[in-house]
Amino acid sequence: MTTEGNELAGKVALISGGGRARGQGAAEGRLLAAHGATVVLADVLDEEGEATAGNIEGAEYAHLDVTSEAGWEAVVGDVVGRHGRLDVVVNNAGIARMGRLVNVTMSDWDQTIAVNQTGVFLGMRAGARAMIEAGNGGSIVNISSVAGMEGLFGSTAYSASKWAVRGMTKVAAKELGRHGIRVNSIHPGFIETDMLAQGGFDEDPEQREKMARSVPLRRVGQPDDIANMVLFLATDSASYCTGQEFVVDGGMHG
């Protein structure tokens, strides 16, 4: 993908989990804005999110707890009220609470499902309602994981939530196609973000190298690798793609 263009001129995109400057959501926001979209980055990290949006021309920030039904309704209502439309929703927010089956606590399970699964459901529902009412179609992009393609050792709650995203995506695509709304999921592998850094990735060069060697393309992915796929799915280049899973993992899966 080129770094700039006008494929999304006049379009409005809402991206959850977009507050962290080095995160996937921010990279997605930068690229969509560079291609003409008005971008709303939503997160619970208000100070960081305001700063991130302030560094992207054509972007703004909104507070959003993705587990809140009222929160989603308020943010989508505000976006439509101020901009007159909502064309793209990227359900990017997510958390990783890793642990083997016998060690998973109910707290970790409930929090993972609330953010990764319920948050995506609420985002799809709020976005779809606005798109249906406007009658202009749209694109919903759900960020899942390679954990939503296969069972990853030690990731019971996380894998369950990401499989659910994959399934909800397919159901939504079938239901919303008649309204011109496309719904697809992206399944990243190892991506160099703060979430990956929580496992000591940044401080351990040996671990970093080992991780890179496990990938057929011999590198860890970058947020822009995911952003490029989001851009494709947000534009008319993907006008005949819906209900599909797009794996971006350097060849790990399959």
Side-chain angles (χ1 to χ4, degrees):
M1 292 287 183
T2 57
T3 56
E4 294 184 359
N6 61 1
E7 303 97 313
L8 295 174
K11 301 294 180 69
V12 178
L14 172 60
I15 303 173
S16 70
R20 295 186 185 276
R22 61 174 290 190
Q24 284 181 187
E28 294 155 9
R30 281 190 289 270
L31 193 58
L32 296 191
H35 285 259
T38 295
V39 173
V40 180
L41 299 178
D43 212 310
V44 294
L45 304 173
D46 294 337
E47 185 175 349
E48 189 171 1
E50 290 278 7
T52 299
N55 288 323
I56 302 173
E57 185 176 355
E60 57 192 58
Y61 175 77
H63 176 85
L64 174 63
D65 174 359
V66 296
T67 69
S68 168
E69 180 179 16
W72 270 108
E73 297 299 332
V75 168
V76 169
D78 181 65
V79 169
V80 174
R82 289 186 301 105
H83 297 290
R85 61 190 300 145
L86 178 60
D87 304 282
V88 179
V89 173
V90 184
N91 286 302
N92 174 81
I95 61 173
R97 297 288 184 268
M98 298 304 186
R100 299 187 187 185
L101 173 64
V102 296
N103 297 323
V104 175
T105 66
M106 283 308 303
S107 175
D108 283 347
W109 174 268
D110 289 342
Q111 189 176 12
T112 300
I113 297 302
V115 174
N116 294 1
Q117 181 176 338
T118 303
V120 171
F121 158 70
L122 292 172
M124 285 198 296
R125 190 180 69 174
R129 286 174 173 173
M131 291 173 184
I132 291 171
E133 183 175 353
N136 298 318
S139 174
I140 298 174
V141 182
N142 297 324
I143 306 300
S144 181
S145 166
V146 289
M149 302 294 293
E150 57 185 273
L152 298 184
F153 186 88
S155 67
T156 300
Y158 184 75
S159 289
S161 69
K162 294 303 187 178
W163 274 87
V165 169
R166 182 182 176 193
M168 290 190 297
T169 296
K170 290 185 174 296
V171 174
K174 292 180 183 298
E175 294 180 354
L176 300 176
R178 69 192 66 185
H179 300 287
I181 301 170
R182 298 179 290 104
V183 190
N184 294 284
S185 59
I186 297 177
H187 299 255
F190 296 134
I191 306 298
E192 192 169 352
T193 63
D194 288 337
M195 183 180 291
L196 196 64
Q198 290 173 4
F201 178 81
D202 283 355
E203 292 79 24
D204 189 342
E206 185 176 343
Q207 181 184 1
R208 182 190 184 101
E209 179 61 26
K210 181 178 180 181
M211 187 177 291
R213 288 198 305 269
S214 72
V215 179
L217 287 181
R218 294 298 189 267
R219 71 174 177 88
V220 174
Q222 298 299 311
D224 283 345
D225 292 317
I226 307 305
N228 281 325
M229 185 58 74
V230 170
L231 175 63
F232 168 69
L233 293 174
T235 68
D236 288 342
S237 294
S239 63
Y240 205 53
C241 298
T242 195
Q244 303 304 307
E245 53 272 300
F246 293 82
V247 179
V248 185
D249 69 348
M252 290 176 59
H253 173 75

